[in-house]
């Protein structure tokens, strides 16, 4: 309900209104254009809070768990028509990797479930959405699924949709494969 009421509204699968949380503002738990939402394999809700330049993480009941601040919040695009450079526009999730793709300003940031930045790609021309695509190749054994670390060396890809660039581009990344791959001592 981003453009109208700055809240998260929850409905049943049959369309029945269940509850809502959030209000307009910049404090934790408040929103300035909630623009993307995803639920991870643990049941946590991740909201791309576009104008506040962050991702907020909640329980399904609406209790705030944590906030992933973005570096783009300092760049509000003053003096130009590039205000989107300060937006956090979307968040997507792949359960087989337990990995997130977040559009932050002119980049796409791949983050671990703890919010650590693992990889940054860009710049793009007003990236609006990014989506993680499942790993390529043979299926990961169930005992190893659900972790980008456990899938080291397996390629996966993500796609970025650019508004100003008027294109969708797909990128392949190999997990844990040196500088071009995903490695973090924190994530």
């Amino acid at each position: 309900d981003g453009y109208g009421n700055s809240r998260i509204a929850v409905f049943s699968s049959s369309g029945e209104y269940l509850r809502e949380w959030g209000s307009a503002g910049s404090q934790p738990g408040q929103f300035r254009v909630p623009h993307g939402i995803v639920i991870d394999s643990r049941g946590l809700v991740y909201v791309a809070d576009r104008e506040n330049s962050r991702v907020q993480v909640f329980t399904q009941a609406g209790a705030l768990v944590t906030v992933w601040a973005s570096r783009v919040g300092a760049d509000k695009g003053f003096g130009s028509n590039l205000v989107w450079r300060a937006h956090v526009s979307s968040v997507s999730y792949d359960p087989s990797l337990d990995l997130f793709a977040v559009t932050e300003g002119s980049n796409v940031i791949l983050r671990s479930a703890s919010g650590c930045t693992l990889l940054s790609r860009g710049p793009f021309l007003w990236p609006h959405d990014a989506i993680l695509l499942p790993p390529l190749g043979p299926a990961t054994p169930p005992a190893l699924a659900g972790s980008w670390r456990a899938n080291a060396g397996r390629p996966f890809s993500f796609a970025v949709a650019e508004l100003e660039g008027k294109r969708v581009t797909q990128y392949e990344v190999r997990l844990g494969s040196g500088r071009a791959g995903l490695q973090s001592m924190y994530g």
Side-chain angles (χ1 to χ4, degrees):
D1 193 13
Y3 292 105
N5 295 304
S6 293
R7 64 182 176 165
I8 304 301
V10 181
F11 295 86
S12 71
S13 59
S14 62
E16 177 187 351
Y17 172 84
L18 299 175
R19 65 187 166 282
E20 65 183 62
W21 73 81
S23 60
S26 59
Q27 296 299 310
Q30 294 182 318
F31 303 103
R32 286 183 46 224
V33 188
H35 205 255
I37 190 167
V38 69
I39 299 174
D40 75 3
S41 58
R42 290 168 291 283
L44 295 175
V45 179
Y46 297 74
V47 180
D49 187 3
R50 191 180 85 177
E51 302 292 321
N52 283 325
S53 307
R54 63 190 179 190
V55 172
Q56 296 193 74
V57 185
F58 299 89
T59 66
Q60 289 189 31
L64 183 67
V65 175
T66 191
V67 176
W68 296 351
S70 173
R71 287 182 233 134
V72 301
D75 181 7
K76 294 296 183 190
F78 294 117
S80 74
N81 62 350
L82 303 178
V83 294
W84 57 267
R85 292 174 74 190
H87 290 171
V88 173
S89 296
S90 72
V91 58
S92 72
Y93 175 73
D94 183 277
S96 69
L97 296 169
D98 199 23
L99 191 67
F100 296 84
V102 183
T103 56
E104 298 185 26
S106 59
N107 295 304
V108 172
I109 310 296
L110 299 184
R111 291 181 177 255
S112 69
S114 63
C116 292
T117 297
L118 301 172
L119 181 76
S120 177
R121 285 283 166 91
F124 299 101
L125 295 173
W126 196 346
H128 193 267
D129 290 291
I131 186 167
L132 288 162
L133 303 169
L136 305 172
T140 301
L144 298 178
S147 167
W148 64 268
R149 285 185 185 95
N151 285 282
R154 292 191 63 211
F156 75 98
S157 57
F158 65 94
V160 181
E162 298 174 76
L163 290 180
E164 220 165 85
K166 295 183 173 73
R167 63 184 175 197
V168 175
T169 308
Q170 183 173 330
Y171 295 89
E172 184 177 304
V173 176
R174 210 168 269 281
L175 300 174
S177 59
R179 281 189 63 202
L182 303 180
Q183 295 184 349
S184 173
M185 60 186 280
Y186 303 109

